[in-house]
Amino acid sequence: QVQLVESGGGLVQAGGSRRLSCAASGRTFSIYTMGWFRQAPGKERDFVAAISWSGGVGTNYANSVKGRFTISRDNAKNTVYLQMNSLKPEDTAVYYCAARKGMVVTTTPEDYNYWGQGTQVTVSS
């Protein structure tokens, strides 16, 4: 099993920036695609961004965050990041880190096998 530990959530002003981290352990991480999802109160869990950890399709972003958010990885630390810039109140949600086997970047929560506990990001207006 892969364990995912998130950090970096909190309160931020609209227009500000925040970086989320997700540290993974339990397996060789190079075989996993990593993703970020978010869920607002009363809403379904939605795709945010994903990155392949071994050769494949690279990165993928939801249209709502394209140009504002950046997903990246540090294989030496088995960690993925989500840099969030120009934050908006509608970005307020619980953000989840997720992992799946394979190189193909997918965008649906059902495709991911492992999940972090979630971290709250609140953007004030």
Side-chain angles (χ1 to χ4, degrees), residues 9 20 22 29-30 32-33 36 40 47 49 63 73 75 92 95 97 102-103 111 113 116 118:
L20 306 182
C22 175
F29 220 69
S30 61
Y32 289 93
T33 290
W36 288 96
F47 170 76
N63 287 334
R73 74 186 191 198
N75 285 338
T92 295
Y95 283 71
C97 177
M103 69 180 71
D111 291 332
N113 309 108

Side-chain angles (χ1 to χ4, degrees), residues 1-89:
Q1 299 291 309
V2 173
Q3 291 81 46
L4 305 174
V5 180
E6 304 174 14
S7 61
L11 178 66
V12 62
Q13 300 262 327
S17 298
R18 196 86 177 183
R19 189 178 75 162
L20 306 182
S21 299
C22 175
S25 62
R27 295 180 63 96
T28 300
F29 220 69
S30 61
I31 65 173
Y32 289 93
T33 290
M34 302 296 301
W36 288 96
F37 296 78
R38 66 187 182 186
Q39 187 168 22
K43 304 294 184 180
E44 294 186 346
R45 191 168 298 185
D46 290 331
F47 170 76
V48 177
I51 186 169
S52 178
W53 282 71
S54 60
V57 298
T59 59
N60 199 354
Y61 295 92
N63 287 334
S64 59
V65 306
K66 196 173 299 181
R68 299 189 298 122
F69 291 10
T70 302
I71 188 170
S72 61
R73 74 186 191 198
D74 186 338
N75 285 338
K77 298 180 179 179
N78 283 349
T79 301
V80 297
Y81 304 95
L82 185 68
Q83 178 65 48
M84 305 182 293
N85 298 327
S86 301
L87 283 162
K88 306 173 182 179

